[in-house]
Amino acid sequence: MGRFTFRLPDIGEGIAEAEIVAWHVKVGDTVEEDGRLADMMTDKATVEMESPVSGTVIEVAGEAGDVIAIGSPLVVIEVEGAGNEVDRAPAPKAAVVEQRIAAETPDADDVARVEQAAAPAREPKREPAPAPAPEPAPAAAGAKAPQPRPAAHSKVMASPAVRKRAADLGIDLGEVRPAEDGRLRHADLDAFLSYNAAGGFQPAGRKGQDEQVRVIGLRRRIAENMAASKRQIPHFAYVEEFDVTALEETRAQLNAGRGANVDGRPKLTMLPFLIAAICKLLPKYPMLNAHYDDEAGVVTRYGSVHLGMAAQTPAGLMVPVIRDAQDRNLWQLATEIGRLANAARDGSAKSSELSGSTITVTSLGPMGGVATTPVINRPEVAIIGPNRIVERPMFVKGADGAERIEKRKIMNISMSCDHRVVDGWDAASFAQDLKKLIEAPALILAG
């Protein structure tokens, strides 16, 4: 029998380490060739490690949440034959202990020097132990002893109305101090409720259990990235109100008579229109489609729009990337949005599909609030967040110049920008130009 050491391979350019997200084997398990060993996370992609040999697992490196360097041993497998590791007979534990004891044992001269240095020192004076506290004296004759609270399961005297009220409130009558005659009344329930209100009263039997959840994998990566973004980037937010009534009408016309997917074209949502409008404007505002390397002091402005699309998944927030979004029409954008969102949710997204974005759009859809202040996806310098669409009465000027009140669909769009690169004037100008496109959707489709 031999030992085969499986070392963590190079799983991405520039990757120096990876985090263990989940083990699929443990010590003592038999693994087949190409069998699953562990899931490793690098950057924002999870990579599945497979065994190159068959055998029995005899060692694993760490547990979920530990970070392993590229080239370090991940799993040791006992195999038929020589394996890839030369047998090394480790020194017996006893010999190791003896060597350490010998190394730590001082010689006679050392002992003499220590004793000589310690000779003038005297043992500190010890204080006498305090006398035991006297036992409390018995209560004076005739004095009333404090009335004990009845046990939770002892018989409690109370009227049916009091019992029903206590049951409705979830109060255990055994926890309530009765009046002097031992009978519980409504006033005693009121006193119990008043006393426990300040302490956050919870009905008996409904207390939840504390739970500690280890932050590992994608959740830890998100936490680290968000903390670094807020720590290093001076954010500023800009929110503008958009009238999307005409855009929603245009969208409904384009979707009319279509199923979920006709001729390979999915139904259109708001997002493809917004992305198309953003792509149309970014050549005019190149400082928004950029990365900032603060260590080198260099801003890289991109000619193509690789648009990050923040997507919620069971594992946490992921940002798949629509490559060259500026070259896609509305239906192509809608198709790619759906494909990438599904890949992120089921874990099939590739590492190349989860990196390299130049600007990000984040949307909570119908769950969106009135306004948001999204966190920038470093090293980008801007992020755009559409919010919930609401219907409101608005003053609208007609062709005759007269104003009238109409029901309109209104949506706020939020932006967060890196103030080291983007000035407030630039963000406001971009938002106003975006407003013109969104409120006149024919301009998005033109050209």
Side-chain angles (χ1 to χ4, degrees), residues 265 268 272 276 325-335:
R265 291 182 171 187
L268 297 173
Q326 78 284 346
D327 294 335
R328 302 174 188 264
N329 62 33
L330 291 177
W331 286 277
Q332 290 170 338
L333 287 171
T335 300

Side-chain angles (χ1 to χ4, degrees), residues 206-333:
R206 300 185 191 176
K207 186 174 182 180
Q209 297 295 322
D210 295 341
E211 182 182 8
Q212 289 186 332
V213 179
R214 193 174 182 196
V215 180
I216 64 172
L218 181 61
R219 187 77 263 164
R220 180 163 74 180
R221 198 61 55 88
I222 293 171
E224 292 171 350
N225 290 344
M226 293 299 99
S229 180
K230 293 296 285 186
R231 183 171 58 249
Q232 298 179 19
I233 297 178
H235 287 58
F236 77 88
Y238 185 92
V239 182
E240 182 56 90
E241 184 178 83
F242 289 59
D243 185 337
V244 296
T245 307
L247 190 149
E248 284 292 273
E249 291 173 353
T250 301
R251 188 173 69 86
Q253 292 168 1
L254 293 173
N255 285 334
R258 302 178 63 83
N261 197 316
V262 177
D263 299 329
R265 291 182 171 187
K267 295 187 74 169
L268 297 173
T269 64
M270 167 72 69
L271 205 51
F273 289 91
L274 177 61
I275 293 173
I278 291 171
C279 291
K280 202 174 186 73
L281 287 177
L282 284 178
K284 183 180 175 181
Y285 298 94
M287 293 302 282
L288 291 174
N289 190 41
H291 284 183
Y292 179 41
D293 184 342
D294 48 4
E295 292 185 2
V298 174
V299 176
T300 301
R301 304 193 301 191
Y302 293 93
S304 297
V305 181
H306 303 309
L307 192 133
M309 182 188 67
Q312 189 64 36
T313 73
L317 186 68
M318 303 182 77
V319 186
V321 181
I322 303 174
R323 301 283 172 190
D324 294 307
Q326 78 284 346
D327 294 335
R328 302 174 188 264
N329 62 33
L330 291 177
W331 286 277
Q332 290 170 338
L333 287 171

Side-chain angles (χ1 to χ4, degrees), residues 347-358:
S348 64
K350 302 174 184 176
S351 178
S352 59
E353 295 174 325
L354 297 170
S355 60
S357 57
T358 57

Side-chain angles (χ1 to χ4, degrees), residues 185-202:
R185 296 175 171 82
H186 287 290
D188 300 320
L189 294 181
D190 294 337
F192 178 81
L193 291 171
S194 299
Y195 178 79
N196 287 281
F201 170 74
Q202 271 192 319

Side-chain angles (χ1 to χ4, degrees), residues 5-249:
T5 300
F6 176 73
R7 298 180 180 274
L8 185 61
D10 186 356
I11 49 182
E13 184 178 353
I15 301 299
E17 60 189 18
E19 179 185 352
I20 302 172
V21 177
W23 281 109
H24 299 294
V25 296
K26 62 182 182 299
V27 173
D29 285 354
T30 299
V31 63
E32 299 295 330
E33 185 176 352
D34 297 329
R36 298 172 68 188
L37 294 175
D39 293 338
M40 307 295 296
M41 170 166 283
T42 169
D43 198 7
K44 290 184 179 180
T46 300
V47 182
E48 191 176 281
M49 296 291 108
E50 298 179 346
S51 176
V53 296
S54 299
T56 303
V57 176
I58 57 176
E59 290 181 25
V60 295
E63 58 185 17
D66 290 345
V67 177
I68 306 296
I70 300 297
S72 298
L74 183 66
V75 180
V76 179
I77 303 171
E78 187 176 61
V79 297
E80 296 287 346
N84 68 347
E85 186 177 324
V86 179
D87 289 336
R88 297 186 299 271
K93 291 185 177 179
V96 174
V97 173
E98 288 175 2
Q99 292 172 6
R100 184 164 62 248
I101 292 174
E104 295 175 356
T105 303
D107 56 24
D109 293 339
D110 292 334
V111 174
R113 284 194 296 271
V114 172
E115 290 178 349
Q116 184 177 2
R122 295 185 178 182
E123 185 180 355
K125 184 178 179 181
R126 296 182 179 177
E127 297 293 336
E135 294 185 3
K144 275 190 178 180
Q147 184 176 356
R149 297 175 66 173
H153 301 290
S154 64
K155 184 170 178 61
V156 178
M157 291 187 296
S159 68
V162 171
R163 291 182 182 277
K164 183 178 184 307
R165 183 186 175 200
D168 292 342
L169 293 171
I171 298 175
D172 183 352
L173 290 180
E175 296 293 324
V176 184
R177 186 182 297 277
E180 291 186 1
D181 61 358
R183 189 175 188 81
L184 285 175
R185 296 175 171 82
H186 287 290
D188 300 320
L189 294 181
D190 294 337
F192 178 81
L193 291 171
S194 299
Y195 178 79
N196 287 281
F201 170 74
Q202 271 192 319
R206 300 185 191 176
K207 186 174 182 180
Q209 297 295 322
D210 295 341
E211 182 182 8
Q212 289 186 332
V213 179
R214 193 174 182 196
V215 180
I216 64 172
L218 181 61
R219 187 77 263 164
R220 180 163 74 180
R221 198 61 55 88
I222 293 171
E224 292 171 350
N225 290 344
M226 293 299 99
S229 180
K230 293 296 285 186
R231 183 171 58 249
Q232 298 179 19
I233 297 178
H235 287 58
F236 77 88
Y238 185 92
V239 182
E240 182 56 90
E241 184 178 83
F242 289 59
D243 185 337
V244 296
T245 307
L247 190 149
E248 284 292 273
E249 291 173 353

